[in-house]
Amino acid sequence: MILLAALPALAQRRALEQERLAYGRAVAENWCANCHLVGPQARGPAGDAAPPFAAIAAMPGTTAMALRAFLQTPHDRMPDYRLSQAELDGVVAYILGLQPR
């Protein structure tokens, strides 16, 4: 009986996570796709401008903390985007969602 009571909360949490992933992908497609391939089937820039998001996700040191630190620190080859907290949360969740399972 307790399990049945938890189902709506689990469904709501799952829906919120899917929403965050979709928002993160939209932010990435808007801000990051000029240099990165942001999705597994996405088209993007040719060449070695920046690593694909799937490659970033597959790196052993890719964690939420590492992504947040990287995205909030200016870099020579990366534009200095000022992501809102919601945008940052979404992009981090999206990249982590691309990690191989």
Side-chain angles (χ1 to χ4, degrees):
M1 194 65 146
I2 294 173
L3 180 61
L4 290 177
L7 287 178
L10 290 173
Q12 183 180 17
R13 189 168 65 195
R14 180 74 177 144
L16 289 172
E17 183 61 25
Q18 290 301 316
E19 211 173 279
R20 180 179 292 138
L21 291 172
Y23 180 65
R25 182 176 181 139
V27 171
E29 288 172 346
N30 186 48
W31 292 104
C32 310
N34 290 328
C35 300
H36 294 272
L37 289 172
V38 299
Q41 287 84 31
R43 290 183 172 189
D48 298 332
F53 274 21
I56 294 168
M59 292 176 180
T62 299
T63 64
M65 186 185 313
L67 289 170
R68 286 176 189 288
F70 183 83
L71 292 170
Q72 294 177 353
T73 304
H75 294 83
D76 292 337
R77 295 183 63 198
M78 192 168 115
D80 188 17
Y81 294 126
R82 304 271 185 214
L83 298 176
S84 70
Q85 189 63 50
E87 290 168 331
L88 183 62
D89 291 346
V91 171
V92 168
Y94 177 67
I95 292 172
L96 292 176
L98 295 172
Q99 288 181 324
R101 305 216 183 252

